């Protein structure tokens, strides 16, 4: 459509350039050896190992568990939130820097992705139970929708996502990119990074959280914005 072509004509947004340009095996950040397990150019994807320690994963789950409620999505008509059958998980968000642990993880992400802390959204924690999933979607907002304006006014467009796996589900719960034809299995402490330099399907960044078949799945998600957020 003419509307979606506008986001192509405007040219690319700047996206994070994580510390993986020289194809390292591991990256030392915040005293940790983070593994680089896979890099893909298009869609731009990086899979990291050991981004979070096992104990950090457990602590995040323990902090989040009593605070989770049914997940919502952005209502593109109003700009508010609404329930959606495509996203059946439960979740919560920590304020940026809410605890020492949260701040340390957010600073680690800043250093690894080379993207300012202030341009990160609050860390979200999601829990999926058996049968729950997040159907394929884009993480950017469609700028032509009426509800996009209030979202974009606070920090601009999303340009990248980091999904950190806080446990290894007993079965299922990977993340897939149906247009690009691959999937990432959920492993505790590992993380999936992907970026999208414009709000357009040409980024091939459509992805989903696949149904959990046994056990629970817990993830922490950090979205990165063009500009300072909140
Ligand atoms: O939980 C996931 O694997 C997942 C997959 C895709 C989460 C999100 N997107 C998201 O929160 O945007
Ligand atoms: Zn997503």
């Amino acid at each position: 459509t003419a509307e979606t072509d506008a986001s192509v004509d405007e040219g690319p947004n700047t996206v994070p350039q994580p510390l993986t340009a020289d194809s390292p095996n591991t990256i030392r950040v915040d005293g940790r050896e983070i593994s680089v397990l896979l890099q893909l150019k298009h869609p731009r994807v990086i899979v990291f190992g050991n981004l979070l320690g096992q104990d950090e994963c457990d602590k995040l789950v323990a902090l989040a568990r009593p605070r989770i409620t049914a997940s919502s999505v952005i209502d593109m008509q109003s700009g508010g939130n609404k329930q959606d059958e495509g996203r059946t998980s439960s979740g919560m968000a920590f304020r940026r820097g809410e605890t020492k642990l949260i701040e340390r993880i957010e600073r680690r992400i800043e250093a690894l992705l080379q993207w300012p802390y202030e341009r990160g959204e609050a860390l979200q924690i999601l829990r999926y139970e058996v049968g729950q999933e997040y159907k394929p979607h884009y993480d950017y907002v469609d700028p032509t929708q009426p509800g996009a304006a209030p979202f974009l006014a606070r920090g601009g467009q999303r340009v990248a996502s980091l999904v950190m796996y806080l446990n290894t589900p007993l079965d299922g719960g990977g993340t897939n990119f149906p247009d690009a034809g691959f999937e990432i299995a959920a492993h505790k402490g590992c993380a999936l990074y992907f970026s999208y330099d414009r709000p357009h399907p040409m980024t091939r960044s459509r992805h989903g959280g696949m149904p959990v078949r046994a056990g629970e799945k817990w993830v922490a998600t950090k979205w990165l914005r063009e500009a300072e957020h909140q």
Side-chain angles (χ1 to χ4, degrees), residues 67-181:
R67 290 168 57 180
I68 58 174
T69 57
S71 295
S72 54
V73 298
I74 302 162
D75 182 349
M76 277 300 135
Q77 295 306 313
S78 70
N81 290 308
K82 62 166 189 182
Q83 306 286 318
D84 189 288
E85 48 130 41
R87 190 182 197 196
T88 51
S89 54
S90 306
M92 57 80 64
F94 290 109
R95 292 188 312 280
R96 220 165 44 203
E98 183 173 324
T99 71
K100 285 267 180 328
L101 173 68
I102 305 294
E103 171 150 23
R104 180 165 181 193
I105 292 168
E106 291 173 325
R107 291 290 176 196
R108 185 181 306 160
I109 294 168
E110 171 179 54
L112 178 67
L113 302 186
Q114 301 276 284
W115 199 253
Y117 175 89
E118 293 76 17
R119 298 190 202 170
E121 291 185 29
L123 193 70
Q124 273 219 15
I125 309 288
L126 295 176
R127 181 192 69 185
Y128 301 78
E129 297 182 287
V130 172
Q132 294 182 340
E133 64 182 319
Y134 192 177
K135 295 231 170 76
H137 60 275
Y138 297 99
D139 282 354
Y140 55 75
V141 303
D142 178 346
T144 66
Q145 293 292 302
F151 179 93
L152 295 173
R154 300 173 52 234
Q157 191 54 265
R158 284 182 179 155
V159 293
S161 308
L162 183 70
V163 178
M164 294 163 275
Y165 301 101
L166 302 181
N167 76 333
T168 306
L170 283 173
D171 193 20
T175 305
N176 66 343
F177 286 72
D179 303 328

Side-chain angles (χ1 to χ4, degrees), residues 194-208:
F194 53 102
S195 61
Y196 24 95
D197 64 7
R198 59 196 92 197
H200 192 278
M202 70 185 282
T203 57
R204 305 181 82 204
S205 63
R206 198 167 69 101
H207 62 282

Side-chain angles (χ1 to χ4, degrees), residues 7-18:
S7 61
V8 179
D9 297 341
E10 279 168 23
N13 293 324
T14 301
V15 299
Q17 302 295 335

